[in-house]
Amino acid sequence: MDRLRELYEAGGDPEFERFPASDELLLVLRHAERTASELKVDTAKIDPKEVMGEAAVIRTKLWQYLREQADAGQLKAIEAGRVVGMPWHSFNEALCVNTKHGAQQKAQRLKAEQLRRPDERRAPETARAYELMDAAEEVERLGRIARNLPRFPIAHRLCHQLLEYRDVGLLVDGMSEWWLDDIAEVVDNRTTDLEKANLTDLLGSFVREIHKLAQERNQPATMTDEARHALTTATEFVHRPGPAIPRQQARSQTGTPAWRSRRRSRGRRPTLSCLPGQLSCDRGALDC
């Protein structure tokens, strides 16, 4: 916008004193559009066509930026309304659609635009695919916490024991050294449940790598009895099964148990449609 201002000043904008401030994007674009045909560069140092041409390119870029900001802002407004309970049909007029399904689809397209990669379509299916991935990541995160959080006190103690023999007693090099460095950096900074749960995974990665290194070099992983005892204890801990996580009964979007919902659907088989690098299912076909 600063460059656009310079071009209009150089082009002799007859209303340049009324050129809006640079933080007023829409007003800047409206002004530039209104006075573009009146630009006249009298000095021989500047070609009028170059001024108007560059200004046109910048205006195009700014309109694209404004469109992207409008899509993001509109989506935030929709989500804010849904959080407080506004029904989908309330957005029909605002989104220029006739049905609540149309409002849902348009909201999904807006979301897809914020999430998609350049090679993906701006389609509801793209947004739903990302929602499925986010849901799967959340399930994995909660599962990791449920498995590893109760084991954190022991994992914390074992990490400190291994660090005592880092320089004398343990055969560390390459990836095993990298994992031990990572443990040393974070072992006493675990505050959230997820961070505490992740410490067990870091310990497991180190244990696997140090045994792999010892096998590749055909030599023991430890050089002292104390280090051998610490590594043996850590290895047993890593390979000890974690607590069983009870599985919740899957439910459909209406809250009906999944098996009952499938029975009511008269045996309709789930359909899958592949997107680039992703997996997506039609709404209601799978209980995700």
Side-chain angles (χ1 to χ4, degrees):
M1 286 192 289
D2 290 339
R3 177 56 179 163
L4 191 64
R5 177 190 297 273
E6 293 174 359
L7 290 170
Y8 270 64
E9 183 177 16
D13 180 359
E15 300 181 25
F16 182 76
E17 69 279 356
R18 300 172 59 185
F19 200 100
S22 294
D23 59 350
E24 299 174 314
L25 175 55
L26 182 59
L27 295 180
V28 166
L29 286 169
R30 291 301 189 196
H31 177 94
E33 185 179 64
R34 186 179 67 254
T35 62
S37 60
E38 301 180 29
L39 296 181
K40 297 178 181 179
V41 182
D42 297 328
T43 173
K45 295 181 180 179
I46 303 177
D47 185 344
K49 292 182 179 180
E50 291 183 2
V51 172
M52 297 185 67
E54 184 179 350
V57 171
I58 293 176
R59 286 164 52 199
T60 303
K61 180 184 292 186
L62 291 175
W63 277 116
Q64 176 62 30
Y65 173 77
L66 188 61
R67 177 183 293 110
E68 294 172 358
Q69 298 306 303
D71 284 349
Q74 193 173 46
L75 178 61
K76 289 179 181 179
I78 294 171
E79 292 176 340
R82 292 292 296 161
V83 166
V84 298
M86 288 299 291
W88 278 110
H89 64 77
S90 300
F91 295 95
N92 288 0
E93 181 182 357
L95 293 174
C96 300
V97 296
N98 297 321
T99 65
K100 68 176 184 180
H101 180 69
Q104 289 175 312
Q105 292 290 90
K106 191 161 186 177
Q108 288 289 322
R109 289 190 179 91
L110 290 171
K111 190 168 187 178
E113 182 62 32
Q114 308 305 311
L115 299 172
R116 70 184 182 93
R117 297 194 303 265
D119 60 332
E120 293 175 329
R121 295 186 302 124
R122 185 180 186 265
E125 292 78 10
T126 302
R128 285 197 289 269
Y130 276 95
E131 288 175 351
L132 289 175
M133 287 192 297
D134 289 343
E137 290 175 358
E138 179 66 7
V139 169
E140 193 277 334
R141 185 184 72 85
L142 294 176
R144 191 187 314 158
I145 290 175
R147 288 191 306 272
N148 293 344
L149 185 59
R151 311 176 76 194
F152 170 73
I154 300 178
H156 184 264
R157 176 171 55 83
L158 291 173
C159 286
H160 273 289
Q161 288 180 358
L162 292 170
L163 288 171
E164 290 180 10
Y165 307 109
R166 175 179 186 170
D167 298 324
V168 179
L170 290 176
L171 173 66
V172 290
D173 194 10
M175 287 303 298
S176 61
E177 184 176 17
W178 189 89
W179 284 115
L180 197 58
D181 287 342
D182 204 8
I183 290 174
E185 182 178 350
V186 304
V187 64
D188 291 325
N189 298 325
R190 306 288 83 186
T191 55
T192 68
D193 288 347
L194 182 59
E195 289 174 343
K196 292 178 180 179
N198 285 342
L199 185 65
T200 298
D201 292 334
L202 293 178
L203 178 60
S205 297
F206 167 73
V207 167
R208 285 189 294 273
E209 289 297 331
I210 193 173
H211 285 298
K212 180 181 177 182
L213 178 64
Q215 185 177 10
E216 291 174 349
R217 296 188 178 182
N218 194 25
Q219 64 182 99
T222 59
M223 282 78 78
T224 65
D225 292 339
E226 294 81 0
R228 185 178 306 108
H229 175 72
L231 182 59
T232 300
T233 304
T235 303
E236 292 175 352
F237 170 80
V238 167
H239 291 94
R240 188 182 307 155
I245 304 172
R247 296 184 62 182
Q248 294 184 348
Q249 186 179 28
R251 291 183 174 271
S252 65
Q253 293 182 353
T254 60
T256 306
W259 63 268
R260 189 174 299 170
S261 176
R262 288 193 292 269
R263 179 179 296 177
R264 290 178 180 176
S265 66
R266 299 181 181 179
R268 183 167 66 93
R269 298 178 64 85
T271 58
L272 300 179
S273 59
C274 293
L275 294 175
Q278 300 173 1
L279 184 63
S280 174
C281 59
D282 61 335
R283 178 168 295 183
L286 296 177
D287 298 302
C288 300

